[in-house]
Amino acid sequence: MTTDGCHLYNVKQYSLLKTGMGVRSYVTSEPFTVGGCCWKIYFYPHGNSKNTRYVSVYLGLEDKNKTLKASFELTLLDQSGKGVHHVMGVYNKPFTITGRSWGYKRFMTKQRLESSDYLKDDSLSFCCNVWVQSCIGKFTIIPPPSQIEKDFKNLLDSETGSDIVFRVKDDTFKAHKVILAARSPVFKAQFYGLVGNPALDELELVDIEPSVFKAMILFIYSDKLPDSYESMGSKSHMIQHLLVAADRFGLDRLKQLCEVKLSEELNVDVLATTLSLAHDHHCSKLKASCMDFAVANLRAVVQTEGFKYVEKSCPLLLSELLQKMAL
């Protein structure tokens, strides 16, 4: 009996990945299930070998102790609508897979990829078809999916066992010091450091909006960005404030996620404020994206009020931008 399935993986911000990652560095798809097994697609923007002319793509079996007969086909989709897809189907006959990844070191040259219709709006789309024929060996019990995110979110919402109250302007938030300390070095030092106060049960915060603090606390408990940004007027505005909060409390992963989101949301109206923010908070990849966007849209950017503000308040940043334009 054969079980089959298909997974679509969109690789966004290809140019950002290309500038920010090295050889043998990769990004992965969300895990997906076929034949009772967990799989991921691995994408290497600079390849998985010494030959960096190619991108590499692999299918990985995430169940390390499982052995099975399977086959797969990786397809890079043509996004022009012509239907000229790039199909790699060497592994199109069932073979034995045991907890590792299989794929293509030389999936396609970067030069060909970057000049083709496979790359559109700085994104790629992969389709992976998997056919699982059978499992080999003893019956394997599949554990239920992790509930840790849900459990921690419920703990925050129910306020069970909370031992710290934050007062942020007119709002209050209850939380758990040990969880905050585990996620943030700033909170850890404040509660349990050499000059910290473990008995502290109330803290007032200034220079942060309640909606931003709420989004930050939700990330600490769930490791996810908020679903809604309405309270701050615009998505970019909210993410900008959230990046500042992440930098303030030492939440490096949140800060990097905000960088990615702001890169995706770049437009003429927010370019200047985002560039200034990236400069002030040492976000090198976001700053590079802003510089590239500014050079590509120079005529519109220089007419915005934000650019005029940068021109007056940050001559060093303006000088960097002018050098970029000259190059």
Side-chain angles (χ1 to χ4, degrees):
M1 179 178 178
T2 301
T3 304
D4 65 298
C6 177
H7 184 73
L8 185 65
Y9 175 34
N10 293 315
V11 179
K12 297 182 179 180
Q13 294 292 307
Y14 170 78
S15 59
L16 190 62
L17 296 176
K18 183 181 174 184
T19 56
M21 300 178 68
V23 180
R24 294 191 172 93
S25 296
Y26 59 83
V27 291
T28 69
S29 68
E30 291 292 322
F32 60 97
T33 302
V34 179
C37 302
C38 183
W39 308 84
K40 282 184 181 179
I41 301 170
Y42 290 73
F43 176 69
Y44 295 75
H46 288 294
N48 190 29
S49 67
K50 292 181 180 179
N51 191 340
T52 58
R53 292 176 53 238
Y54 294 84
V55 298
S56 301
V57 188
Y58 294 85
L59 174 68
L61 176 62
E62 301 301 297
D63 301 294
K64 301 304 180 184
N65 297 320
K66 185 169 290 187
T67 301
L68 49 89
K69 285 282 188 179
S71 56
F72 69 91
E73 183 179 79
L74 278 166
T75 302
L76 179 58
L77 300 180
D78 178 0
Q79 300 190 77
S80 69
K82 301 174 184 176
V84 186
H85 308 306
H86 182 67
V87 182
M88 298 293 277
V90 175
Y91 299 108
N92 57 4
K93 293 183 179 180
F95 63 100
T96 301
I97 297 178
T98 306
R100 57 171 294 185
S101 59
W102 297 79
Y104 311 94
K105 282 185 180 180
R106 299 185 177 187
F107 186 83
M108 181 180 288
T109 64
K110 289 186 285 189
Q111 182 179 8
R112 178 186 171 190
L113 175 66
E114 291 164 11
S115 61
S116 70
D117 291 327
Y118 303 120
L119 183 64
K120 181 179 180 182
D121 297 329
D122 208 22
S123 70
L124 306 168
S125 289
F126 289 94
C127 179
C128 182
N129 290 291
V130 183
W131 297 268
V132 178
Q133 189 177 72
S134 62
C135 289
I136 302 172
K138 296 181 179 179
F139 175 75
T140 302
I141 299 175
I142 302 174
S146 172
Q147 295 290 316
I148 189 169
E149 175 192 328
K150 181 180 178 181
D151 293 340
F152 273 78
K153 178 66 165 50
N154 288 339
L155 189 65
L156 176 65
D157 292 339
S158 67
E159 301 178 355
T160 303
S162 61
D163 55 0
I164 182 73
V165 176
F166 291 95
R167 301 198 179 278
V168 186
K169 295 189 176 180
D170 295 330
D171 291 355
T172 58
F173 302 89
K174 292 184 179 181
H176 307 78
K177 287 186 285 187
V178 68
I179 294 178
L180 300 179
R183 300 280 279 159
S184 162
V186 175
F187 282 130
K188 183 177 181 180
Q190 193 164 23
F191 300 142
Y192 305 112
L194 294 176
V195 294
N197 181 10
L200 185 68
D201 59 5
E202 187 173 311
L203 191 62
E204 184 174 3
L205 296 179
V206 296
D207 300 330
I208 187 170
E209 291 296 320
S211 58
V212 176
F213 184 77
K214 181 180 179 180
M216 186 186 77
I217 290 292
L218 283 171
F219 174 84
I220 287 175
Y221 279 77
S222 69
D223 206 46
K224 286 187 175 181
L225 290 172
D227 296 325
S228 173
Y229 304 88
E230 295 177 0
S231 57
M232 290 295 291
S234 74
K235 183 176 180 179
S236 294
H237 193 204
M238 175 65 171
I239 294 296
Q240 287 175 350
H241 282 267
L242 198 53
L243 185 148
V244 173
D247 194 32
R248 173 179 173 182
F249 291 98
L251 298 167
D252 291 340
R253 173 170 158 76
L254 176 58
K255 183 178 176 182
Q256 291 172 10
L257 289 175
C258 289
E259 283 191 70
V260 172
K261 287 292 183 183
L262 288 173
S263 294
E264 294 174 351
E265 296 293 320
L266 275 181
N267 58 59
V268 171
D269 294 328
V270 302
L271 183 279
T273 54
T274 302
L275 176 59
S276 180
L277 190 74
H279 176 76
D280 293 342
H281 293 273
H282 310 289
C283 303
S284 58
K285 295 176 185 177
L286 177 59
K287 184 177 178 179
S289 294
C290 290
M291 290 286 192
D292 290 341
F293 184 93
V295 171
N297 301 273
L298 186 61
R299 182 172 296 181
V301 168
V302 297
Q303 295 177 3
T304 63
E305 291 299 320
F307 181 83
K308 295 174 183 177
Y309 172 79
V310 170
E311 194 175 20
K312 293 179 181 178
S313 64
C314 193
L316 179 61
L317 185 56
L318 180 63
S319 175
E320 286 186 53
L321 181 57
L322 292 174
Q323 291 177 18
K324 179 76 174 179
M325 290 163 49
L327 291 174

